[in-house]
Amino acid sequence: MKKISEVLAFLTAAFIPFPTLGYPIANDLTISPALVCGSAFLLLNLLHLFDRRDYLVSAVGVAACFIVSNIGRNPADTYMLSLIALFAVLAPLILGDIGNSVRRALIWGFMTGLVITMVISFVELMASLLSIDDVLNLLDTIFPDGRRGNPSPYLRPKAGFFEPSHLAVYLAYAFVIVDVAFRKTQRSNVFKALIGVCILYVGSLAGFLIATFYVAAQGVSGVFKSKRNAFIAFMLLILSFAAVLIYWNDIVSSTYFERLGIVSDAFSSGDLVGSEGSRINAFRPVFDYWSENGWTEFFLGTGYANYSDWLITRYGGLGTFSSAGRGDIDNIFAAVMLSTGLFGILSYLTFLVVRLYSVSKGRRIPIVLFLVAVHFAYGHMISYLGWYLLLVLASALELRQNAEVAASHLVIGRREVGSSGMASPRRPVSAS
């Protein structure tokens, strides 16, 4: 049974970057190999749902708030299927003690999928730069239903994803997972640098900023050891970013710089047009909805999975390049607040805190900032991508924490043994 769990964990993580290989059931949503393997992994370990009551209770709290936001307001068929899909992809995160060997299988499966994805992305980029259409057509055949952005001077790679921005979010997760899961060696540092280069050539501003915030927060945590000073430095970092964003056009202007200029303009004007405006002003629809509909909607929102019609009615005139105009929000926090109100967002945040608080000790500022940035850049709640990547990250954090606890116990043991004059034990082997 344990070996089967390890195999399923490995395959689940290895298939994460290939959603376009699946059977399409909705826009940007497929029954993919990762989802099939992840569901089998969940069923095999279903009893572990009760190992951690805090995980389970917090998840049930989210479900309760999401359902309450609809009761008496929207028909059940408008939200139940979406809610079932959400908890189907979220459920592996609720599992309790799946064991270190299974966690290692997740990490190595993830690394396998990552290397394959980076190779495919490189081939795709070179084929674009050298205008080798046969290679691009072959990749489109292998990974159907995908879309590429097309900024100059090259066609942005998307590998097995629907959009380049999804690839960039995956690579940003990869940077953090490698940083957490492996010791700081020259090899791991080179690999992280390579991931950083991949994020750059994907050309996604969101992916670039997510990774940048994580690295900056790491530096802040390293320089300021006390929590108070670290928090102050963190707030200064955010304020500095906001200042640069507002005044960017007065400072500098090339591919990333031009896009930052667009972000600055969208931030200043509150515009929801384009991907930049849709992300940077994602909370504008939330505040518009609250101001137009009163206090009940402040607490309950539109009802889970029921905000699309209101968005299209309110912002449809902005065109298809606006996420709000299509009925979408490119920000999970904003989507939860609009659809489930204050109760929903509090329950959702509680679940995230409960799930990650105990395994992120010593890394909370970088991990929190990273996850906040991801939530601001990605809005597909019922896609397995965000949840499975979070599962791999949580596994990496758990392995690292277990290794550090074991090492600290051995250090204490050495001191006790040394004081008794007996031989010291052998050096520990890292759990990661």
Side-chain angles (χ1 to χ4, degrees):
M1 190 77 73
K2 188 175 181 181
K3 287 294 182 185
I4 298 174
S5 286
E6 290 173 8
V7 171
L8 287 174
F10 181 93
L11 292 175
T12 299
F15 279 120
I16 286 176
F18 307 112
T20 55
L21 287 178
Y23 178 78
I25 55 175
N27 186 35
D28 289 358
L29 197 62
T30 63
I31 300 177
S32 68
L35 187 57
V36 172
C37 293
S39 299
F41 173 75
L42 171 65
L43 291 174
L44 190 65
N45 293 277
L46 205 57
L47 292 178
H48 286 298
L49 282 175
F50 303 96
D51 288 350
R52 290 293 302 260
R53 300 285 176 85
D54 51 345
Y55 294 174
L56 183 59
V57 170
S58 61
V60 170
V62 175
C65 286
F66 284 17
I67 292 173
V68 167
S69 70
N70 277 294
I71 290 179
R73 306 170 71 212
N74 300 301
D77 60 359
T78 65
Y79 64 89
M80 285 307 299
L81 285 178
S82 178
L83 193 62
I84 291 169
L86 172 61
F87 279 85
V89 295
L90 180 152
L93 268 171
I94 310 172
L95 294 175
D97 186 15
I98 57 177
N100 281 347
S101 63
V102 177
R103 294 189 185 102
R104 291 191 192 97
L106 276 168
I107 299 300
W108 287 114
F110 177 82
M111 295 301 295
T112 300
L114 172 62
V115 170
I116 294 172
T117 298
M118 291 169 70
V119 170
I120 294 171
S121 300
F122 179 77
V123 170
E124 190 175 14
L125 178 66
M126 290 297 102
S128 168
L129 292 173
L130 299 175
S131 300
I132 308 176
D133 291 336
D134 289 342
V135 173
L136 294 174
N137 292 335
L138 176 62
L139 289 173
D140 285 337
T141 301
I142 298 172
F143 304 110
D145 300 321
R147 298 190 298 273
R148 290 188 187 88
N150 192 19
S152 59
Y154 62 89
L155 204 63
R156 297 162 61 191
K158 61 174 179 58
F161 292 92
F162 287 102
E163 296 182 10
S165 61
H166 296 179
L167 170 59
V169 170
Y170 171 80
L171 290 171
Y173 257 104
F175 185 94
V176 178
I177 289 167
V178 171
D179 186 60
V180 170
F182 298 95
R183 294 190 182 279
K184 307 298 186 292
T185 63
Q186 185 176 0
R187 182 181 298 179
S188 67
N189 288 335
V190 168
F191 195 68
K192 284 188 292 184
L194 185 59
I195 295 172
V197 171
C198 291
I199 292 173
L200 286 175
Y201 74 61
V202 170
S204 168
L205 183 59
F208 172 76
L209 291 176
I210 292 170
T212 300
F213 283 160
Y214 174 76
V215 173
Q218 269 198 317
V220 167
S221 297
V223 173
F224 298 93
K225 294 297 183 181
S226 80
K227 292 182 179 180
R228 179 181 177 184
N229 289 341
F231 177 75
I232 292 172
F234 168 72
M235 294 307 299
L236 288 174
L237 177 67
I238 296 298
L239 292 173
S240 298
F241 171 72
V244 169
L245 199 64
I246 294 170
Y247 297 107
W248 185 266
N249 285 336
D250 298 328
I251 302 172
V252 69
S253 156
S254 165
T255 299
Y256 276 105
F257 293 160
E258 289 174 358
R259 296 192 70 188
L260 279 170
I262 296 172
V263 169
S264 174
D265 291 342
F267 184 78
S268 301
S269 64
D271 199 348
L272 288 168
V273 176
S275 62
E276 292 84 0
S278 296
R279 286 189 173 93
I280 201 69
N281 297 307
F283 287 93
R284 175 186 157 190
V286 179
F287 299 133
D288 286 349
Y289 183 78
W290 286 349
S291 65
E292 293 172 10
N293 293 279
W295 283 101
T296 300
E297 312 305 317
F298 172 75
F299 288 109
L300 296 177
T302 65
Y304 173 73
N306 274 281
Y307 59 71
S308 291
D309 289 343
W310 181 82
L311 286 174
I312 292 171
T313 301
R314 184 69 164 75
Y315 305 106
L318 297 178
T320 57
F321 288 105
S322 168
S323 296
R326 300 193 306 268
D328 296 324
I329 297 182
D330 288 329
N331 183 311
I332 292 180
F333 288 146
V336 173
M337 289 176 70
L338 178 62
S339 61
T340 62
L342 181 65
F343 291 148
I345 191 63
L346 288 178
S347 67
Y348 180 76
L349 291 174
T350 299
F351 170 73
L352 291 181
V353 170
V354 168
R355 184 58 185 83
L356 292 169
Y357 183 84
S358 62
V359 299
S360 60
K361 188 176 181 180
R363 299 176 179 83
R364 283 177 191 148
I365 290 179
I367 295 298
V368 166
L369 184 55
F370 169 76
L371 290 176
V372 167
V374 168
H375 277 69
F376 270 68
Y378 190 73
H380 299 268
M381 281 196 72
I382 61 173
S383 168
Y384 74 83
L385 180 61
W387 299 111
Y388 283 12
L389 287 172
L390 190 56
L391 174 64
V392 177
L393 176 59
S395 296
L397 287 165
E398 286 162 351
L399 283 171
R400 174 55 62 193
Q401 185 184 49
N402 291 342
E404 290 171 351
V405 169
S408 67
H409 287 169
L410 270 172
V411 169
I412 294 172
R414 283 176 178 173
R415 289 173 181 169
E416 291 174 350
V417 168
S419 65
S420 65
M422 297 177 64
S424 297
R426 291 183 299 172
R427 297 178 64 185
V429 177
S430 170
S432 61

